[in-house]
DNA sequence: ACCTGAACACCGTTCAAGT
DNA sequence: ACCTGAACACCGTTCAAGT
């Protein structure tokens, strides 16, 4: 969600002048900031400094920190509709759900540090289930399925199953992706871990010790595709019945 | 996770004397506090006040706020092993996974406000996938499945699929459960929602409007059982092949 | 119109000092 | 041994004041 004018993270354009503050500029700077520094580092004062401005200036464009976080979520989810290379297909509900699933997955992969925000902020309504936090997305989901043979009930059940599926898979995938960057890997393979404040060595857990390396391997592409396929099959069966 | 002596949230026993501070007392008070007031309200100073003590006293038993959060997670997950009425069954891996799934679900249901912590804190290692954040649980999981015919690879695949499944379903269920308590329901059914800072009325979204009430219904029991069943069947198929 | 300085109420955390 | 007062560096947020 880059603003109209090309910028660097400082909110300064190529000529060195500071860009005029705006809601969009603030939001895109915030996304960049979280991508680089992680969610806990996002602070009104810090974001202000990144934009070359005092924290209080942001309040002219954004109703406080909570509103800023909500804006970030909205800006990410709305990428689903803007992107030209991901035109929604017209050949069946399975293709539609494939398209939607991969669209959300791409967002999670491009902004793994932001995804927990999309996944765990309190939804505005009980029927806005993360990570599908957009009225338009939910509306499209339901009308797409209903127009293709789903009953009201089965469309709703599909919506619930689909969102649970995406949330579980993508949240874990995003967590693994951000962990790589901020956990120092013990290159000697000395597997020892500090869990829950108490020092507990993996040595007492033979299977974990034996399978450690293989447990850390990344097969998320294949696993996502297989689980998605399985889920679509399951929806298909409930349709036939 | 009640401490040995019966207490009320103030950390004061029945006689009015203050209980001696301890790691366990602090942790169980913290869990109670989050259950009642939500995660964002949990503050060192606030928890101190709840215990009738200054915030600084807590640092004698807990290495700061991050450590406290980690302790909370550990104390919740360890309930899986302590509880007498949920003895691990011996008749097959499917029964074991059913037992484990319902054990984790019970934790999520009893402490919906704490569950996001279990679900989204950075795991200590890439192979500790939330919500199964315990070396012992992972060890049991793997050895149970391997001793019952799973190959190393299929046990690992099952672990990944199982944790994704639990995370997605239980996080959404817990979110719905806490939302009920802190969202004021419009008793007139005037469905209007403020999403992303911009006022957007559901009226522009006919399917959502039409299905609104049914979208809000809770079918989590049935949905959890059905999805779990489906997942176990899927694992069974990968075993046979 | 847009930004800022100063102020307020709150954090987490440390450490010397009290009992 | 266990708790606290005072202090520090940070938060989010408001508002009158500057340009």
């Amino acid at each position: 969600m880059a603003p109209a004018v090309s910028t660097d993270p400082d909110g300064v354009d190529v000529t060195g002048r500071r860009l005029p503050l705006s809601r969009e500029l603030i939001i895109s700077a915030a996304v960049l900031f979280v991508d680089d520094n992680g969610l806990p580092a996002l602070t009104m004062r810090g974001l202000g400094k990144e934009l070359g401005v005092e924290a209080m200036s942001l309040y002219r464009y954004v109703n406080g920190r909570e509103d800023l976080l909500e804006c970030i979520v909205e800006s990410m989810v709305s990428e689903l509709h803007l992107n030209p290379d991901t035109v929604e297909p017209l050949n069946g509900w399975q293709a539609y759900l494939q398209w939607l699933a991969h669209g959300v997955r791409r967002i999670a992969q491009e902004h793994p540090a932001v995804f927990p925000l999309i996944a765990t902020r309190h939804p505005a309504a009980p029927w806005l289930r993360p990570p599908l936090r957009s009225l338009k997305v939910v509306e499209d989901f339901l009308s797409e399925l209903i127009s293709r043979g789903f009953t009201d009930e089965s469309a709703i059940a599909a919506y619930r199953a689909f969102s649970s599926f995406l949330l579980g898979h993508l949240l874990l995938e995003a967590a693994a992706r951000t962990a790589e960057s901020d956990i120092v890997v013990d290159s000697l393979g000395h597997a020892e871990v500090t869990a829950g404040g108490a020092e507990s060595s993996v040595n007492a857990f033979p299977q974990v010790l034996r399978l450690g390396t293989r447990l850390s391997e990344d097969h998320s592409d294949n696993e996502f595709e297989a689980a998605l396929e399985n889920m679509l099959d399951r929806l298909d069966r409930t349709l036939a019945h």
Side-chain angles (χ1 to χ4, degrees), chain A:
Chain A
M1 286 293 76
V5 186
S6 81
T7 73
D8 72 1
D10 294 303
V12 178
D13 69 13
V14 280
T15 72
R17 281 169 302 141
R18 215 182 56 212
L19 288 178
L21 234 42
S22 72
R23 195 163 232 268
E24 295 72 37
L25 179 65
I26 291 174
I27 293 170
S28 62
V31 171
L32 266 176
F33 191 89
V34 173
D35 284 343
D36 292 346
N37 310 102
L39 209 44
L42 178 64
T43 192
M44 297 300 278
R45 293 176 133 105
L47 182 58
K49 182 171 286 176
E50 193 80 6
L51 286 163
V53 104
E54 300 297 317
M56 314 86 183
S57 310
L58 304 177
Y59 286 81
R60 220 155 249 282
Y61 305 92
V62 147
N63 292 322
R65 186 171 196 267
E66 286 301 298
D67 183 41
L68 175 59
L69 296 181
E70 217 57 60
C71 291
I72 292 176
V73 170
E74 197 212 355
S75 115
M76 310 251 36
V77 177
S78 70
E79 281 187 32
L80 279 176
H81 301 293
L82 301 178
N83 223 298
D85 60 318
T86 59
V87 205
E88 177 180 337
L90 299 172
N91 40 336
W93 60 268
Q94 314 217 26
Y96 170 75
L97 292 187
Q98 284 272 1
W99 166 84
L100 183 56
H102 286 101
V104 178
R105 183 166 185 242
R106 195 159 60 70
I107 293 176
Q109 289 179 324
E110 287 173 356
H111 305 280
V114 181
F115 194 75
L117 207 59
I118 303 175
T120 60
R121 279 186 66 77
H122 257 26
W127 32 264
L128 266 190
R129 295 164 61 97
L132 268 32
R133 311 178 61 126
S134 146
L135 271 172
K136 170 146 177 49
V137 170
V138 177
E139 175 71 18
D140 287 357
F141 187 106
L142 294 173
S143 63
E144 183 75 23
L145 265 58
I146 290 173
S147 79
R148 294 182 192 280
F150 279 65
T151 64
D152 290 354
E153 292 304 331
S154 61
I156 290 175
Y159 170 55
R160 297 223 181 89
F162 188 76
S163 45
S164 295
F165 164 81
L166 285 184
L167 186 63
H169 280 268
L170 299 185
L171 200 50
L172 279 170
E173 194 177 335
R177 213 163 278 251
T178 60
E180 284 165 19
S181 58
D182 60 19
I183 280 189
V184 181
V185 178
D186 185 338
S187 55
L188 295 173
H190 273 180
E192 187 152 304
V193 90
T194 327
E199 306 250 317
S200 61
S201 165
V202 239
N203 296 326
F205 302 97
Q207 299 291 359
V208 175
L209 186 61
R210 189 170 65 83
L211 300 174
T213 21
R214 267 180 287 176
L215 275 169
S216 308
E217 282 171 12
D218 176 34
H219 301 306
S220 49
D221 280 351
N222 290 338
E223 286 164 6
F224 185 83
E225 302 302 341
L228 176 57
E229 202 74 57
N230 174 264
M231 205 220 154
L232 296 182
D233 286 354
R234 185 180 152 222
L235 293 183
D236 202 32
R237 285 198 302 274
T238 69
L239 250 193
H241 133 96

